[in-house]
């Protein structure tokens, strides 16, 4: 074989060994992030807010229903895309979930979105088509309770074990798993209050709602303390993490909403859950009245703390994001983290 033939064979072999250029679709799939689930999460909570506002005008609830349907469509599409990513590029998914704490924590968003969708099933379908849809929301709520407990415990364990950030680099998104159980608590209250259920089905869900709220609120309090320690050490977030600072508003606002709606479900004359169940010393009519007042007061105090964090996050975003170091120049998915806590605070204000 001549030297020229050997050279041609070597070139052909080298071209064969070169990695093939990826298609645009595969590149997009690899870059797909769990942060995208904040879009249906924000759209879903917006629909709940519009539907529950006291200041209604003609057509507002129709707009809320359209936003709810839109959030379901986006949610299903994004779930299929992420499942396709898991199937087609499992190595990329494994690397992201073991190295990136934000990617891990944002796995909470699909669970939160599922809970918000259940909210609207109780608010819209049970009101329009009767208590059978309230029972459907009730069943979905129990499924959501199980998924939420797994997510609240499992997701923190994953990032504690595989990608611990250290106190100096703890991002606000670590609070998302706490929001999962607090959202599930709120779902329990909404389904019991608006679902047209009987007291024998309402009371167990109300009790579980309080348990979930304690689970999420304790988790959130511990992680907020860690984040405040980071700020006290001068560890302010980078521009890429700036929008995520609003995440801290989420668990406090959601806890305020959850405790108020659970109190209403237990004591309201519309449901009379505790009064009609009437067993023991805690689940009675008088205890329900005290619980309702206590929950309203506790909800207002939690809301005031969430309002403080909202104002603090606004000041930080305006100062660091728009005036320091040239400001924010590019759109980031983390900006969607503003929607959920902000809208949830509007719901609480309306309820109060």
């Amino acid at each position: 074989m001549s030297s020229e033939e050997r050279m041609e064979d070597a070139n052909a072999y080298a071209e064969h060994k070169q990695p093939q250029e990826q298609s645009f679709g595969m590149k997009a799939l690899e870059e797909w992030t769990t942060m995208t689930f904040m879009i249906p999460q924000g759209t879903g909570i917006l629909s709940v807010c519009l539907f529950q506002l006291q200041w209604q005008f003609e057509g507002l609830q129709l707009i809320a229903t359209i936003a709810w349907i839109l959030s379901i469509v986006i949610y299903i599409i994004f779930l299929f895309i992420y499942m396709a990513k898991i199937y087609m590029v499992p190595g990329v998914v494994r690397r992201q979930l073991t190295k990136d704490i934000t990617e891990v924590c944002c796995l909470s968003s699909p669970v939160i979105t599922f809970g918000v969708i259940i909210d609207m099933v109780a608010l819209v379908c049970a009101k329009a088509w009767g208590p059978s849809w309230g029972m459907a929301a009730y069943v979905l709520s129990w499924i959501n309770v199980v998924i939420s407990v797994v997510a609240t415990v499992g997701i923190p364990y994953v990032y504690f074990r595989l990608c611990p950030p250290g106190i100096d680099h703890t991002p606000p998104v670590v609070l998302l798993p706490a929001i999962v159980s607090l959202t599930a608590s709120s779902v329990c209250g909404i389904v019991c209050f608006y679902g047209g259920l009987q007291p024998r089905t309402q009371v167990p869900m109300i009790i579980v709602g309080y348990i979930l709220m304690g689970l999420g609120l304790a988790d959130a309090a511990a992680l907020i303390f860690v984040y405040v320690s980071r700020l006290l050490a001068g560890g302010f977030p980078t521009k890429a993490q700036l929008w995520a600072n609003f995440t801290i508003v989420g668990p406090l606002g959601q806890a305020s909403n959850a405790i108020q709606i659970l109190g209403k479900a237990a004591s309201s004359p519309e449901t009379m859950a505790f009064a009609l169940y009437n067993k023991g010393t805690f689940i009675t009519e008088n205890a329900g009245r005290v619980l309702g007042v206590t929950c309203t007061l506790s909800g207002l105090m939690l809301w005031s703390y969430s309002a403080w964090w909202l104002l603090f996050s606004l000041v930080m975003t305006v100062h660091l994001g728009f005036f320091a170091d040239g400001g924010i120049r590019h759109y980031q998915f983390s900006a969607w983290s503003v929607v959920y806590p902000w809208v949830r605070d509007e719901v609480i204000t309306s309820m109060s």
Side-chain angles (χ1 to χ4, degrees):
M1 181 182 292
S2 66
S3 60
E4 293 181 358
E5 290 175 341
R6 286 197 298 270
M7 184 64 71
E8 290 177 0
D9 289 343
N11 291 337
Y13 179 76
E15 291 176 0
H16 176 72
K17 292 297 289 181
Q18 286 179 355
Q20 295 181 351
E21 186 178 352
Q22 285 183 317
S23 65
F24 174 78
M26 286 300 295
K27 287 182 179 179
L29 198 62
E30 289 187 2
E31 294 296 327
W32 193 267
T33 172
T34 53
M35 290 183 68
T36 54
F37 284 104
M38 288 187 176
I39 297 175
Q41 175 184 320
T43 308
I45 194 60
L46 181 62
S47 67
V48 174
C49 176
L50 294 177
F51 200 89
Q52 288 187 290
L53 280 177
Q54 293 182 357
W55 305 280
Q56 293 283 328
F57 60 83
E58 187 175 354
L60 183 58
Q61 292 194 349
L62 176 60
I63 295 172
T65 305
I66 293 172
W68 172 52
I69 295 172
L70 180 62
S71 70
I72 294 174
V73 172
I74 298 173
Y75 181 60
I76 293 172
I77 292 173
F78 284 7
L79 277 178
F80 274 110
I81 292 174
Y82 196 71
M83 287 189 291
K85 179 178 179 177
I86 294 172
Y87 176 75
M88 299 182 71
V89 284
V92 174
V93 176
R94 189 182 305 110
R95 184 173 64 253
Q96 290 175 339
L97 294 180
T98 54
K99 302 294 183 182
D100 188 352
I101 188 172
T102 300
E103 191 76 8
V104 177
C105 291
C106 286
L107 287 173
S108 306
S109 288
V111 188
I112 296 171
T113 307
F114 181 57
V116 173
I117 290 171
I118 297 171
D119 283 345
M120 288 297 285
V121 173
L123 289 168
V124 177
C125 300
K127 179 180 178 181
W129 299 312
S132 58
W133 280 94
M135 183 55 66
Y138 180 77
V139 174
L140 289 173
S141 296
W142 282 115
I143 296 172
N144 185 54
V145 166
V146 175
I147 298 172
S148 298
V149 171
V150 172
T152 303
V153 177
I155 292 175
Y157 180 79
V158 170
Y159 68 71
F160 286 154
R161 182 69 180 85
L162 299 178
C163 48
I167 293 178
D168 293 341
H169 299 92
T170 300
V173 291
V174 295
L175 286 158
L176 283 173
I179 299 176
V180 170
S181 58
L182 292 169
T183 301
S185 174
S186 175
V187 171
C188 291
I190 287 176
V191 169
C192 289
F193 188 72
Y194 294 100
L197 304 174
Q198 297 297 319
R200 61 186 178 85
T201 54
Q202 288 176 319
V203 171
M205 180 157 280
I206 292 172
I207 300 301
V208 169
Y210 281 115
I211 294 171
L212 287 169
M213 186 181 59
L215 177 69
L217 198 55
D219 186 20
L223 291 171
I224 290 173
F225 176 78
V226 172
Y227 187 68
V228 171
S229 300
R230 170 188 169 175
L231 295 178
L232 287 173
F236 276 77
T238 63
K239 288 187 183 297
Q241 299 175 337
L242 196 55
W243 294 110
N245 199 64
F246 286 91
T247 307
I248 302 176
V249 184
L252 299 169
Q254 188 63 277
S256 175
N257 178 69
I259 196 170
Q260 289 189 71
I261 193 64
L262 287 169
K264 287 177 68 175
S267 62
S268 172
E270 300 176 31
T271 57
M272 298 185 68
F274 274 34
L276 295 176
Y277 197 85
N278 197 32
K279 290 184 179 179
T281 57
F282 177 62
I283 309 175
T284 62
E285 182 177 4
N286 291 333
R289 291 175 180 172
V290 175
L291 187 63
V293 175
T294 305
C295 286
T296 301
L297 178 61
S298 302
L300 287 173
M301 289 190 291
L302 285 168
W303 175 84
S304 65
Y305 190 30
S306 72
W308 185 90
W309 270 108
L310 181 63
L311 294 173
F312 180 81
S313 300
L314 280 172
V315 171
M316 183 185 296
T317 302
V318 171
H319 177 229
L320 299 181
F322 295 98
F323 293 104
D325 300 327
I328 297 174
R329 296 184 177 88
H330 304 288
Y331 168 77
Q332 297 165 338
F333 266 119
S334 58
W336 277 91
S337 61
V338 179
V339 177
Y340 188 87
W342 191 292
V343 174
R344 176 56 75 188
D345 266 20
E346 289 299 321
V347 174
I348 299 161
T349 304
S350 178
M351 287 178 60
S352 302

